[in-house]
Amino acid sequence: MWLDDVGLRYHRRGPWVLREVTVSLAPGEAAVVLGRNGAGKSTLLQLAAGVLRPSRGRVLDRPSVVGWVPERFPADQPFSVDGYLTAMARIAGLSSGETERTVRRWVDRLGLGPFRTVRLSQLSKGTAQKVGLAQAMLRPPGLLVLDEPWEGLDAAARELVPQVVDEVLAEGGSVLVSDHRGETVRLPGAREWLVAEATVVERPPSGEAAVAVVELAVPVGQVSATVARLRAEGHHVLGVRGQSAPTVATRPGAGPPSEVTR
Amino acid sequence: MSALVRFRLAGFLRTGRALAPVLAGLLTLGILYGGGRAQPAEAYGVSAVVLFPVLAWQTKVLLDVEPDVQRRLAVVTVGPAREYAAGLVAAAVAGLGLVMVALVFPWLVGGVTGPSLPGERSIPAGVALGLWAHLLALPGAVALGALASRVITRSAGYGVAVLTCGVVGALVFGVAKSAVPWLAPPLLPTARALVGPLPGSTALLLSGWALAWAAVVLSGYVRVRARRA
């Protein structure tokens, strides 16, 4: 998919939110969109997904099936989780048999089983976000666009996002993710697009800026000491699995992390 | 597209917001038929005029029920053209429901009467012409309601202003000696035509006029939609 000299402004005489954006994403590639709040990350994602039409330039070779996970799932709707996903699957063109199988698979996978009959408006933010992820995956997307997908998700579901991304990439799809919390270290290998001053530049991962995720197995009794030692050495600990109270991800105060453990 | 039409109708009906336009329609018809009895075609001609604002309002309510982000999800899933069309078709289907209520209502309250003199229209002919008059009002009302919907007007105030100006314009420009009758949908001309005998050429002209007016307003809706999410 190509964005060719794309510009966007929301009003005819308004300021350019994005201009002269030329980027491309090949099948099997992922890109992380970074930038400060209000820089235009969501706008870029919505242009790529086809929600917004560029005021100038063109978006070329967009895959026919696009999955878009909006930043905030629109939960103010009079449907249950099951009813909503079933309707979205039918809207996406799935037959009734396929709809039933696909909805059941994603409900089970995302842990939405206990909420099947709950109305969308009664879901917690994280659970609603899972419904948002499920609706984007009902048909295997050629382009998956995730706008802050980790927002509000619990630890288990956070791990699921990279899995879903890997699956889309493995099937030849492209993935575009925005993130402002540093969660995208979970997507090693993704290209980095920086949105600033109404344009997009690609940041080559190199030298000190590059990070890798290292997974360690540590005896339970030594977890606290190991985590403390790693932090003292300046590493960014993403989280701890396999104990009742997981350690919250923290970033050391000084210096760029040379590696990341979890 | 039919799945999206069903989804939008379900959203409209389940929120309970469908109730307000239906009650307004029933109230309007109650006032209209409370005064006395008339021949079906004549009564239905006026009924189509008074239902025009209710049908337009109902369209706005139906299109505005869906959250903006859900509408964008529909654009991503089915593409813009089918998303626009599904909203308009859902509004037209809901409008047809109200039209059916309007056709049955006068018979329940004794607001219409059969032919009393030889040469007057039969009841089936009157009902058929009444259906035609309402079907002429529907496309214009759906187009006006769509133009007043939140995705176009962005604020409740502008939405009400578009709706009000459209309805007032339809009545003001539609009077018998209007200098610019074509600025309005042919609501009042249709009601006037149904009082006496209706030549085929007049029926054809009114039908073409109603469709052309709706097409022009809808093209404005589509043009603005193309620039907005």
Side-chain angles (χ1 to χ4, degrees):
Chain A
M1 185 192 60
W2 280 85
L3 273 71
D4 181 22
D5 196 23
V6 164
L8 185 123
R9 51 184 176 185
Y10 285 105
H11 305 286
R12 192 168 283 175
R13 290 180 187 166
W16 289 95
V17 180
L18 291 172
R19 63 181 158 200
E20 295 170 10
V21 174
T22 299
V23 283
S24 68
L25 198 59
E29 269 190 336
V32 175
V33 180
L34 303 165
R36 61 173 174 74
N37 289 342
K41 299 192 294 290
S42 286
T43 302
L44 178 67
L45 262 54
Q46 291 185 48
L47 279 166
V51 177
L52 295 173
R53 271 194 204 186
S55 313
R56 192 174 285 174
R58 295 175 300 173
V59 179
L60 302 164
D61 301 332
R62 183 189 288 119
S64 58
V65 181
V66 177
W68 174 50
V69 181
E71 188 177 0
R72 287 194 194 92
F73 177 74
D76 183 20
Q77 298 189 70
F79 302 104
S80 65
V81 169
D82 225 19
Y84 175 78
L85 289 175
T86 301
M88 286 303 281
R90 297 310 302 267
I91 291 167
L94 268 61
S95 69
S96 61
E98 286 172 325
T99 294
E100 203 183 323
R101 280 194 301 278
T102 311
V103 169
R104 194 186 313 138
R105 184 155 65 86
W106 282 101
V107 161
D108 291 345
R109 194 163 173 201
L110 293 171
L112 290 168
F115 306 99
R116 286 188 85 138
T117 56
V118 177
R119 278 170 78 105
L120 295 176
S121 54
Q122 293 171 335
L123 297 175
S124 70
K125 186 183 174 191
T127 311
Q129 196 65 6
K130 289 181 189 176
V131 179
L133 182 59
Q135 64 76 29
M137 295 299 298
L138 293 169
R139 276 175 79 190
L143 171 67
L144 178 63
V145 179
L146 302 154
D147 199 347
E148 306 284 353
W150 287 281
E151 210 60 39
L153 291 184
D154 55 34
R158 272 166 203 267
E159 296 298 329
L160 208 63
V161 175
Q163 287 175 26
V164 169
V165 168
D166 285 345
E167 286 169 21
V168 172
L169 296 176
E171 286 179 26
S174 311
V175 180
L176 207 49
V177 193
S178 76
D179 175 41
H180 73 276
R181 289 159 53 111
E183 291 280 356
T184 35
V185 289
R186 294 171 193 271
L187 301 176
R191 293 161 58 187
E192 290 191 354
W193 294 353
L194 185 66
V195 185
E197 292 171 9
T199 193
V200 180
V201 288
E202 176 142 13
R203 203 160 69 176
S206 63
E208 297 211 334
V211 292
V213 177
V214 177
E215 296 201 55
L216 299 173
V218 178
V220 173
Q222 296 173 23
V223 168
S224 301
T226 309
V227 167
R229 183 162 52 81
L230 286 167
R231 283 178 183 152
E233 288 173 8
H235 301 301
H236 176 194
V237 179
L238 284 175
V240 176
R241 291 201 301 267
Q243 66 174 38
S244 56
T247 308
V248 178
T250 56
R251 198 179 275 279
S258 58
E259 64 184 38
V260 180
T261 60
R262 64 178 175 182
Chain B
M1 195 176 84
S2 65
L4 186 52
V5 171
R6 285 198 302 274
F7 179 70
R8 287 193 165 154
L9 282 170
F12 174 60
L13 294 171
R14 287 187 198 183
T15 51
R17 282 174 222 179
L19 209 58
V22 170
L23 288 176
L26 289 173
L27 185 70
T28 312
L29 292 171
I31 295 169
L32 174 67
Y33 291 110
R37 295 159 76 89
Q39 297 278 317
E42 213 175 312
Y44 284 137
V46 181
S47 156
V49 175
V50 299
L51 271 193
F52 178 78
V54 180
L55 289 167
W57 179 40
Q58 180 175 268
T59 298
K60 175 173 164 52
V61 172
L62 184 144
L63 294 176
D64 287 355
V65 159
E66 190 172 58
D68 292 344
V69 176
Q70 181 57 43
R71 186 180 59 247
R72 292 173 194 149
L73 281 170
V75 170
V76 170
T77 308
V78 301
R82 281 194 279 179
E83 189 277 320
Y84 305 163
L88 298 172
V89 170
V93 171
L96 278 177
L98 198 54
V99 165
M100 291 305 140
V101 170
L103 291 180
V104 173
F105 188 87
W107 301 98
L108 302 178
V109 298
V112 280
T113 177
S116 52
L117 298 169
E120 283 183 343
R121 280 193 195 102
S122 65
I123 289 176
V127 172
L129 285 172
L131 176 64
W132 171 74
H134 283 89
L135 291 182
L136 286 198
L138 185 59
V142 167
L144 178 62
L147 204 61
S149 64
R150 188 178 62 241
V151 67
I152 303 292
T153 56
R154 293 208 168 134
S155 80
Y158 283 130
V160 171
V162 169
L163 213 51
T164 310
C165 290
V167 171
V168 171
L171 298 179
V172 169
F173 296 131
V175 295
K177 292 187 178 169
S178 170
V180 281
W182 41 267
L183 276 181
L187 300 169
L188 293 174
T190 306
R192 285 194 295 272
L194 285 174
V195 174
L198 179 69
S201 58
T202 308
L204 213 57
L205 176 73
L206 290 169
S207 303
W209 179 356
L211 292 176
W213 193 89
V216 168
V217 177
L218 281 177
S219 70
Y221 170 74
V222 170
R223 274 177 70 97
V224 181
R225 283 295 315 266
R227 293 203 306 264
R228 293 186 185 171

